[in-house]
Amino acid sequence: MRNCYIESKSGIGVSHLHGTHKCIGYKRRCLRRQATQQKLDALQTEFHIRNEKLKQMKKAVAIEAGTAVKF
């Protein structure tokens, strides 16, 4: 069983063993962390897609500029 340390409102730490007591604060933190990780993953994917698009656009502009100089 995992040990979960929670600080109460009075500032006194309370230790709970998972499986013997409900550790609601721990579960909330886990859910928030999971939601934050999912948001981070989505934002990183979006960044990667936009970054690749930008690279392609820069390359296209460089090709256009190169052909304009030749004429």
Side-chain angles (χ1 to χ4, degrees):
M1 291 184 202
R2 290 182 58 174
N3 196 8
C4 179
Y5 182 82
I6 300 174
E7 190 169 313
S8 66
K9 291 181 180 179
S10 65
I12 299 171
V14 179
S15 182
H16 293 285
L17 289 176
H18 289 280
T20 58
H21 293 88
K22 289 186 180 177
C23 192
I24 296 171
Y26 177 79
K27 288 180 182 179
R28 283 186 190 147
R29 285 191 306 272
C30 288
L31 289 173
R32 270 185 285 181
R33 182 177 175 92
Q34 186 178 25
T36 303
Q37 185 64 45
Q38 288 173 346
K39 188 172 182 178
L40 175 64
D41 293 342
L43 288 171
Q44 285 179 330
T45 300
E46 183 180 348
F47 173 81
H48 179 71
I49 291 168
R50 290 179 184 266
N51 194 35
E52 288 301 314
K53 177 98 175 177
L54 181 62
K55 286 179 187 178
Q56 292 173 359
M57 291 171 69
K58 285 181 178 181
K59 187 176 180 181
V61 168
I63 291 170
E64 287 180 21
T67 57
V69 172
K70 290 181 183 176
F71 293 106

